[in-house]
Amino acid sequence: MAFQPVKFYQTGTFTVGNRLLAPEARSVQADMRRTNSLNSGHRACQGCGEALGARYAIDAAMQATGNRLIAANATGCLEVFSTPYPETSWQIPWIHSLFGNAAAVATGIAAAMKVKGKTDVRVISQGGDGGTTDIGFGCLSGMFERNDDVLYICYDNEAYMNTGVQRSSATPPAARTATTMAVGAEPGNVFGQGKDLPAIAMAHGIPYVATATVTELRDLEAKVRRAMEFRGARYIHIFVPCPLGWGHASEDTVRIARLAKETGLFPVFEAEHGEVTSVSKIRRRMPVEEYLRPQRRFAHLFGKVPNAAVIARIQQNADRNVRRYGLLDA
Ligand SMILES: Cc1ncc(C[n+]2csc(CCOP(=O)(O)OP(=O)(O)O)c2C)c(N)n1
Ligand code: SF4
């Protein structure tokens, strides 16, 4: 791919770029040769976590593969905001699949590359949580089971955002969505139900599974690079707050993602062949209220009298993650 002139927006902070740090600590975004895979001019909402996550993930994958990368994209916000016909923000070979078959389309591309002897060309498939945990789940499970040579990235904003915020099987319990009626006392998923896709991916025994957030972007990049060291099926699940669907300020995207990790609600880890190999420890543990309060989707829990019983159940979920993944230092 031809060299792209780049603009530097970074300030050398710890969140973006880090170009004032030592070379080994810098982000791909600090590199003049970064590919701007998802370029400026797309139509994501201000503060969109999905746009941020995709930008970092795909640029890191491009760097790791020497720019030999093809991406298949399920229908969803990422696809819609980046490719309003006849425009595109993608600076890589990119194909829009159906909503439910991105994993199968990517598998086909990988097979075609193999037949052509182009094994240096690597394939990524990507989609939102609806496209991944619900409608695309069968194709994805097949891709895992066959150990197809594809990295699948799920951008988890915990609902179907592109179509106006419906509940998916990744929507957390008690989270209000705009258009899915509550079944029972609380909106969102029923406590104890829903799908934990990273755990399901691990249960397939695939070579590599990881979770990441848009708070620790160098960690995200490192995981994409690590994923590209393996052949076979790989899965990365990125937590991407959505200001529009979650009802938080657009400048709070990174803070909300940090709180998800620091409360234990979103465990950040890596696993190889079904076994957890590393965990990002909680640095300063926070109660779940700190995470819930800034989001309007949880506003019904904080009326004149806070709904202590439901908040306690959400805290129990965080505590279980802390125990299960060993998120606190002994
Ligand atoms: C078979 C089919 N059903 C429904 C739709 C409509 N549709 C398009 S995008 C979308 C929601 C996408 O949600 P998600 O995968 O979570 O991605 P997000 O937009 O949240 O990033 C839906 C329901 C479709 N395109 N195809
Ligand atoms: S609705 Fe959410 S995921 Fe979609 S573009 Fe806006 S912020 Fe991003």
Side-chain angles (χ1 to χ4, degrees):
M1 177 156 297
F3 179 77
Q4 307 278 336
V6 294
K7 304 169 217 157
F8 278 109
Y9 296 108
Q10 303 94 320
T11 56
T13 68
F14 281 95
T15 46
V16 186
N18 301 300
R19 68 194 161 106
L20 301 183
L21 301 184
E24 65 280 5
R26 287 180 200 161
S27 155
V28 172
Q29 297 300 323
D31 191 330
M32 286 280 286
R33 290 158 303 171
R34 66 185 183 178
T35 43
N36 295 314
S37 312
L38 176 59
N39 213 347
S40 56
H42 59 68
R43 290 145 195 220
C45 308
Q46 199 175 26
C48 173
E50 191 161 290
L52 180 61
R55 162 76 182 209
Y56 273 70
I58 303 300
D59 271 0
M62 285 287 274
Q63 193 194 53
T65 58
N67 299 348
R68 305 285 282 161
L69 191 72
I70 299 174
N73 210 131
T75 311
C77 268
L78 180 59
E79 166 264 320
V80 169
F81 72 61
S82 64
T83 56
Y85 183 82
E87 299 160 13
T88 179
S89 282
W90 293 100
Q91 311 249 18
I92 58 168
W94 181 94
I95 183 168
H96 175 208
S97 68
L98 296 176
F99 187 21
N101 71 349
V105 168
T107 290
I109 297 168
M113 290 301 126
K114 191 173 169 189
V115 167
K116 284 171 165 281
K118 295 187 173 179
T119 47
D120 59 324
V121 177
R122 309 299 301 277
V123 184
I124 279 187
S125 180
Q126 52 185 356
D129 52 288
T132 305
T133 66
D134 293 335
I135 191 167
F137 181 69
C139 289
L140 181 61
S141 179
M143 187 202 106
F144 289 162
E145 182 265 325
R146 293 185 302 268
N147 202 23
D148 294 324
D149 190 21
V150 173
L151 166 60
Y152 190 102
I153 301 178
C154 171
Y155 301 99
D156 182 7
N157 55 24
E158 302 190 326
Y160 294 77
M161 295 310 178
N162 180 56
T163 38
V165 196
Q166 294 84 39
R167 183 190 74 78
S168 80
S169 54
T171 301
R176 173 197 54 79
T177 53
T179 47
T180 307
M181 300 292 285
V183 177
E186 296 296 334
N189 267 319
V190 174
F191 277 94
Q193 293 182 14
K195 291 186 203 167
D196 179 350
L197 234 286
I200 294 170
M202 281 170 63
H204 287 74
I206 58 175
Y208 185 74
V209 173
T211 64
T213 75
V214 290
T215 288
E216 288 165 335
L217 290 162
R218 277 182 294 160
D219 176 70
L220 192 166
E221 289 177 344
K223 284 168 175 166
V224 172
R225 273 198 300 275
R226 178 78 181 129
M228 283 306 179
E229 289 171 11
F230 292 87
R231 289 281 172 174
R234 290 142 287 144
Y235 180 75
I236 300 184
H237 192 104
I238 308 178
F239 185 86
V240 291
C242 165
L244 185 109
W246 298 9
H248 62 76
S250 52
E251 68 267 26
D252 273 348
T253 295
V254 168
R255 185 170 77 91
I256 297 281
R258 182 179 303 119
L259 285 165
K261 188 216 157 202
E262 295 296 294
T263 53
L265 283 172
F266 186 80
V268 178
F269 64 92
E270 285 179 295
E272 292 179 19
H273 303 287
E275 300 291 334
V276 174
T277 52
S278 80
V279 165
S280 294
K281 300 280 184 184
I282 290 174
R283 286 188 208 147
R284 190 158 68 94
R285 194 165 185 199
M286 308 292 273
V288 294
E289 284 96 320
E290 299 290 321
Y291 168 76
L292 302 172
R293 262 187 203 279
Q295 304 179 49
R296 278 202 303 280
R297 64 180 175 155
F298 296 111
H300 58 284
L301 300 179
F302 299 97
K304 274 189 189 147
V305 182
N307 191 334
V310 171
I311 296 169
R313 292 195 74 179
I314 297 172
Q315 185 65 55
Q316 279 169 15
N317 285 349
D319 296 346
R320 192 190 52 200
N321 285 338
V322 169
R323 279 196 309 277
R324 189 178 279 173
Y325 290 96
L327 298 178
L328 288 175
D329 274 327

